[in-house]
Amino acid sequence: MPAATPTVTTSRALLIPLERSSPLLRSTLQPQVTPTADGRNIGNDNGLAGSRQDPVMENELMIALIGAGSALTGALIGGAAAVVGASKAARSAYLGSLDVTRRTAQREVYSELLKAAHAYEAETRAVLEGAGFLLHDLFNELEGLPVRHSSSERADLRRAVSTAAEPQPVAAAARQVELEGPSSVAAAARAVQAAAEQLGATLNGIEDGSEGPDGSLHPSTPADLPREHFEFLKSAISAFADIARKHLNHR
């Protein structure tokens, strides 16, 4: 019967090469061969007989690693999405506060223009009758007819008309509206300014005259022109208020 071949078994779980390990570790881990009386060698692997790893355990380990990787990827994606969402929310809040601040500033300048325009409207309305007296007396004077008011009375009427027909506060407020915008409201503000300045020029020139072809003097202002320009101002103020209100209420 042939002699048995010596069997030497090492553990596959050993990761450190024996030649690089310490002498004590090599003496412990190297398989020992002991001869028997009949010439056979018995191998001893110090209880570290290698056995092949269970395939089921390998699969479970692979699944666990894949699951951990998927969880980490999901966490990274979720974290990135959270950062983007927080950034968008912060930007939205910042822009929202800017919009509130800008609309507050716009509301203030719109209100100032309306205040100045309504004050101008009230002041000019109060002198429209006096302007009509001045214009009527001018017609009579040029026609050689008696006038209704004395020289001192007409002087008082002129001062009142000149004081009321000062559109500068309206023009200053309209320029502030142009700075704040938007363009539609700025255009309406310019219309208010133009109407105020037109009415002021008409009232201040109420006694201006022009020479006719025959050399005679005629009033430059038609009798109904001051009232007509006053109505233009009222319409411009109303249009501005409507456009400004629509802008401020728009979201």
Side-chain angles (χ1 to χ4, degrees), residues 122-181:
E123 291 167 358
T124 52
R125 179 191 290 111
V127 299
L128 281 178
E129 186 178 25
F133 291 157
L134 290 174
L135 191 56
H136 187 269
D137 283 351
L138 178 62
F139 274 110
N140 288 344
E141 191 173 35
L142 292 176
E143 294 292 332
L145 300 174
V147 295
R148 295 177 56 184
H149 301 85
S150 65
S151 297
S152 60
E153 289 174 333
R154 283 187 288 173
D156 292 339
L157 289 173
R158 291 188 191 100
R159 281 193 295 270
V161 170
S162 178
T163 301
E166 178 50 63
Q168 180 56 35
V170 177
R175 285 192 291 270
Q176 291 301 314
V177 173
E178 288 193 73
L179 290 176
E180 291 294 336

Side-chain angles (χ1 to χ4, degrees), residues 6 10 18 42 49 54 60 71 74-75 90 116 148 160 212 215 218 229 238 241 243:
T10 59
L18 290 177
I42 300 176
D54 192 347
E60 290 178 350
R148 295 177 56 184
H218 300 276
H229 287 175
S238 178
I243 294 174

Side-chain angles (χ1 to χ4, degrees), residues 83-95:
V83 170
V84 172
S87 176
K88 289 183 177 180
R91 178 177 175 80
S92 177
Y94 174 70
L95 293 178

Side-chain angles (χ1 to χ4, degrees), residues 37-52:
D38 56 1
R40 291 182 301 160
N41 294 326
I42 300 176
N44 178 18
D45 61 357
N46 295 310
L48 297 175
S51 61
R52 297 186 63 84

